[in-house]
Amino acid sequence: MEVIIPLLEERLLDHLPEAVARSLRRMAPKALEAVEEIRLRAGRPVEIVTRTGGGLLTPDGRLQENPAGAVSASIEDVRRTFAVFARHSVYALEEELRRGYVTLSGGVRVGLAGEAVLDGGRVSHLKAISGLNIRLPRAVHGAAEPLLPYVWDGQRVHSTLVIAPPRAGKTTLLRDLVRLLSDGVPRFRVPGHRVAVIDERSEIAAAEGGVPTFDVGARTDVLDGCPKEEGIVIAVRALGPQIVAVDEIGGEEEIRALRLALTAGVALLATAHGDDVRALAERPSFRPLIEARLFARHVVLTRAGGSVTIEGVYDASLRRLAGTGRATLDEVGRR
Amino acid sequence: MNGVLAMVLWAMSTWVGFSVSMRYQARPAAIRRLRGALHWMETEIVYGQTELEGIFRHLEAREEGPLAQLFDELASALAAGSRDFAPLYGAALRRWLPKARLGREEQSVLLSLGEVLGKTDRQHQIKHLRLAESALLEIETRAREEEAKYARLSRTFGFLFGLALFILLL
């Protein structure tokens, strides 16, 4: 189920600079459906990233390589758009300005570019915002079905780590996996499970007022905006989940919390940035997790030919499991 | 007939004197309320990180009369998802000012604040709000001095000027 056009029309277009919104409205519905990112850079052409590539936006809604004649965003456009996203209360986004992104309602994530303010040698926050990367979330029902035979062995859910580079569909896959395991899938004889989603960036469930706007399953509890390390502990203690799901792990404290959940007998679904499982295993923060074989499944995604692809599924010892196909999320989503 | 006219002019002159006196009295009180509102705004920004819309809604409930209307208008503009807040703030302020018994100096402080309100991080917002508060405090002090000097004088002058007219016309 694609949600991009309603999301754009209902929540975003009115907030974008007039010229950009006008051009996007002129795009063909099919092209608009494929939009993944809208990038506004002060004084430069507006870039649109789609599933198949993208280009620079022209006034008549086409995408081109050549910057000449493309729609540009002024510094005022960028700042005004950011002010709207911040609901004219930039001061209330201190944590977001430190992390470098803002999550809007509907799970839209806006990456920020600007001038870093340092405090004691570390980034305190960003100021003078000059670029916005507006990233639209996707809900592709059925995207995670090819994984079910690996994640569910007929008795229990295996803890699974999804590894992929940015924009490869990690969150999409995790969201659908959560939904499937929460609702249960009679076709695969998977029963429903209690799932706790620690949604630090409000991207998995895109909760509004604590209520998920994406379908994350009937038995799913969401801790929205909660730091992962604390959220995992709270969920394990308070929500009694059978599965805990977190997106984009990487910090040492997060990994310590993951170990706690894994040793508490809860299955984990997590994602991490990386190109392949062996490179990930070399990273100091992940090495103990991999060496302790805490994740029984490692799923590697690639972005081959513009579509999201499951490159391989590996077991706890990083052995590639037989029979892994190259099912693309797009193909599955269309089924 | 002359007697009636003289009485009316006396009454009018006295009324004008009292009106001028009330303006002198009302201005420091209005500035003080504004300072209170800005101080509250600062507290909400520092400790609550409350969004502007929420702050204006609270202020609307806390205040009364035209000031409450101003905050209601600002909160509604933000709730409507306005793309550019500063011009809306300026327009709402200009509509409100004639009802507000404020002088030019404090109007200018409020209009300048609208240019930066909500646009920067917490530290900058605090700086701008404190700057506005201290400017208003200075203006209030001067307004109180003017009140002490001229409020009673206006009343007396209005009464006596009317009396003089009354005597002349009789």
Side-chain angles (χ1 to χ4, degrees):
Chain A
M1 181 183 67
E2 296 285 4
V3 292
I4 301 303
I5 290 181
L7 185 73
L8 267 168
E9 282 175 353
E10 287 164 22
R11 296 169 194 264
L12 267 181
L13 286 183
D14 287 344
H15 296 159
L16 293 175
E18 187 75 23
V20 179
R22 205 168 36 239
S23 303
L24 284 169
R25 284 194 176 99
R26 286 177 184 154
M27 278 180 88
K30 208 170 176 183
L32 198 59
E33 194 61 69
V35 171
E36 290 187 340
E37 292 177 4
I38 301 163
R39 288 173 171 258
L40 307 184
R41 298 179 179 99
R44 279 163 292 166
V46 176
E47 184 186 5
I48 304 292
V49 178
T50 67
R51 262 179 285 182
T52 50
L56 305 176
L57 185 65
T58 65
D60 57 358
R62 286 178 302 105
L63 301 179
Q64 65 182 26
E65 276 299 307
N66 189 354
V71 178
S72 278
S74 66
I75 183 70
E76 268 308 303
D77 284 335
V78 173
R79 296 215 171 131
R80 236 173 249 163
T81 306
F82 176 59
V84 176
F85 290 159
R87 296 170 55 83
H88 301 285
S89 309
V90 172
Y91 58 82
L93 298 178
E94 209 154 77
E95 180 60 18
E96 287 85 346
L97 286 170
R98 190 182 63 73
R99 293 185 305 203
Y101 65 85
V102 180
T103 307
L104 309 180
S105 62
V108 177
R109 185 157 119 185
V110 182
L112 308 172
E115 190 183 330
V117 177
L118 299 182
D119 182 11
R122 300 190 66 176
V123 175
S124 147
H125 62 276
L126 293 175
K127 66 171 189 177
I129 301 300
S130 59
L132 302 173
N133 175 18
I134 304 161
R135 198 169 156 191
L136 308 174
R138 246 158 229 290
V140 186
H141 274 210
E145 275 188 14
L147 285 182
L148 279 180
Y150 302 100
V151 174
W152 171 252
D153 68 1
Q155 297 292 321
R156 64 195 177 104
V157 173
H158 290 298
S159 288
T160 302
L161 181 64
V162 180
I163 303 152
R167 293 184 53 240
K170 286 187 295 294
T171 308
T172 307
L173 191 76
L174 180 67
R175 185 184 297 124
D176 199 53
L177 197 54
V178 164
R179 181 186 66 84
L180 290 171
L181 293 172
S182 173
D183 283 344
V185 188
R187 192 152 56 93
F188 289 87
R189 297 187 179 178
V190 180
H193 294 79
R194 287 188 309 279
V195 185
V197 172
I198 318 301
D199 202 1
E200 184 171 2
R201 297 172 186 185
S202 304
E203 281 191 300
I204 306 173
E208 284 176 28
V211 180
T213 58
F214 278 127
D215 181 3
V216 284
R219 298 176 185 85
T220 299
D221 298 303
V222 179
L223 281 175
D224 184 48
C226 186
K228 289 185 275 282
E229 57 272 26
E230 287 176 62
I232 292 168
V233 176
I234 293 170
V236 169
R237 283 182 187 157
L239 297 172
Q242 294 164 293
I243 300 167
V244 170
V246 290
D247 202 10
E248 295 187 11
I249 57 168
E252 282 183 17
E253 282 186 23
E254 290 167 13
I255 288 172
R256 247 198 312 277
L258 286 184
R259 291 180 77 109
L260 172 85
L262 286 164
T263 50
V266 176
L268 265 176
L269 305 176
T271 69
H273 282 294
D275 282 333
D276 71 83
V277 68
R278 288 179 203 287
L280 189 82
E282 295 301 313
R283 275 160 50 185
S285 55
F286 280 92
R287 192 180 299 156
L289 271 185
I290 307 274
E291 282 176 357
R293 301 183 178 191
L294 291 177
F295 284 104
R297 298 287 180 266
H298 301 85
V299 178
V300 178
L301 302 183
T302 60
R303 201 179 168 82
S307 62
V308 184
T309 306
I310 299 169
E311 187 272 329
V313 181
Y314 300 81
D315 69 6
S317 313
L318 308 188
R319 277 195 302 265
R320 194 181 168 101
L321 296 174
T324 304
R326 288 180 66 85
T328 69
L329 296 191
D330 293 340
E331 284 163 11
V332 175
R334 281 196 289 271
R335 279 211 297 262
Chain B
M1 187 64 191
N2 261 7
V4 175
L5 181 67
M7 282 292 283
V8 170
L9 285 174
W10 187 7
M12 277 179 66
S13 172
T14 307
W15 178 77
V16 169
F18 269 78
S19 298
V20 173
S21 167
M22 274 173 68
R23 283 189 73 88
Y24 278 115
Q25 286 173 324
R27 190 176 164 216
I31 299 172
R32 193 176 175 78
R33 280 172 70 189
L34 274 177
R35 281 203 303 115
L38 292 189
H39 191 70
W40 201 82
M41 198 180 270
E42 184 191 322
T43 308
E44 282 295 311
I45 287 174
V46 174
Y47 298 106
Q49 295 198 18
T50 314
E51 289 179 359
L52 277 184
E53 188 192 335
I55 293 178
F56 289 140
R57 280 278 167 241
H58 281 294
L59 284 170
E60 180 215 345
R62 211 180 77 146
E63 298 295 337
E64 50 191 33
L67 193 54
Q69 284 170 17
L70 170 72
F71 290 132
D72 174 42
E73 194 173 334
L74 294 174
S76 303
L78 287 170
S82 307
R83 186 161 160 71
D84 209 348
F85 177 63
L88 288 168
Y89 172 91
L93 208 63
R94 282 188 189 92
R95 274 194 298 278
W96 168 75
L97 283 169
K99 306 176 221 162
R101 298 184 171 186
L102 291 173
R104 270 202 196 142
E105 289 173 290
E106 53 270 35
Q107 294 179 14
S108 141
V109 170
L110 291 179
L111 284 167
S112 309
L113 186 64
E115 295 297 318
V116 291
L117 201 57
K119 284 186 177 169
T120 54
D121 61 36
R122 202 157 46 153
Q123 294 306 322
H124 278 93
Q125 291 292 297
I126 294 166
K127 268 187 207 162
H128 287 297
L129 282 167
R130 287 194 182 156
L131 208 64
E133 279 177 59
S134 68
L136 285 178
L137 181 62
E138 263 181 47
I139 298 168
E140 187 190 332
T141 310
R142 281 202 301 276
R144 287 212 181 278
E145 284 165 9
E146 284 177 5
E147 181 197 356
K149 269 192 213 164
Y150 303 121
R152 194 164 170 189
L153 187 71
S154 313
R155 283 197 304 270
T156 312
F157 184 77
F159 177 80
L160 291 178
F161 184 72
L163 182 63
L165 285 176
F166 181 78
I167 292 166
L168 280 173
L169 284 170
L170 276 182

